[in-house]
Amino acid sequence: MSLVSALIYRRRSAMLGRLVQEVLALYGVEVPAAVEVGPGLRVFHRGFGTVIHPLTTIGANVTLYNGVTLGRADPWVPQAASAMDRIVVEDGVCLCAGAKVVCKQGVLTIGRGTVVGANAVLTTSTGPDEIWAGVPARRIGYRNSAAGAQHGEGAPEPGRARAGRQPSRMVDPPGS
């Protein structure tokens, strides 16, 4: 467990809570005491620039990279008047570096096992085991062929890329 992950779990301590919040702030991490965090949270690169809204629930075995933001899409509106209810990050989700998850209204749920790519801006709920990327984020695939098959997308044949994608080619560096 990283130092930042350990501090996040200790931020609710009656005696050390305020001190822990200040240490997290030195790392550029804002995780209010109201955020519910499940076991197995992994925070990479010390979570620099990570900001999580108080009305967020984080499931078990979630991975956060630096620069992740989970928040409201209407920060100029007072909290009480916001249409956002909550953000739910289910078990096994991976939020890559710079991912922004902004909830416009109601509950935004990131489905179990979903990956949100680097610098993606996610504004809608996702299903399980999906891969989202882009601005605004859109589903670009599934983490495993079983999830894709449930949605009518089979795995590509061995040695063949999906339509619109080129197969990756390994190239030897010059002089080798």
Side-chain angles (χ1 to χ4, degrees):
M1 177 181 300
S2 72
L3 173 63
V4 173
S5 296
L7 289 171
I8 289 172
Y9 284 116
R10 288 169 180 79
R11 76 194 187 292
R12 289 183 171 178
S13 167
M15 292 181 56
L16 298 176
R18 181 66 181 158
L19 176 64
V20 168
Q21 289 286 18
E22 293 302 320
V23 171
L24 284 171
L26 290 173
Y27 279 107
V29 176
E30 185 178 329
V31 183
V35 175
E36 300 170 25
V37 181
L41 176 69
R42 290 179 306 275
V43 179
F44 288 101
H45 307 293
R46 296 193 177 115
F48 285 108
T50 297
V51 178
I52 301 177
H53 192 278
L55 297 177
T56 301
T57 301
I58 298 175
N61 303 313
V62 169
T63 301
L64 300 177
Y65 284 88
N66 54 305
V68 169
T69 299
L70 302 172
R72 297 187 303 149
D74 59 357
W76 58 90
V77 175
Q79 176 74 36
S82 176
M84 176 191 144
D85 290 332
R86 183 161 214 78
I87 296 173
V88 177
V89 180
E90 293 184 346
D91 299 346
V93 167
C94 179
L95 300 173
C96 296
K100 309 300 180 220
V101 177
V102 289
C103 182
K104 294 178 181 179
Q105 65 181 6
V107 177
L108 187 150
T109 301
I110 303 173
R112 175 183 307 265
T114 291
V115 175
V116 179
N119 295 316
V121 179
L122 183 69
T123 59
T124 61
S125 291
T126 74
D129 294 313
E130 296 178 344
I131 302 171
W132 287 69
V135 179
R138 64 186 190 286
R139 187 182 66 232
I140 62 168
Y142 295 90
R143 283 186 82 169
N144 60 51
S145 57
Q150 289 177 347
H151 297 280
E153 291 187 21
E157 296 175 30
R160 297 192 56 136
R162 291 184 190 267
R165 297 187 188 158
Q166 295 297 319
S168 61
R169 297 183 196 333
M170 296 295 291
V171 178
D172 291 331
S176 59

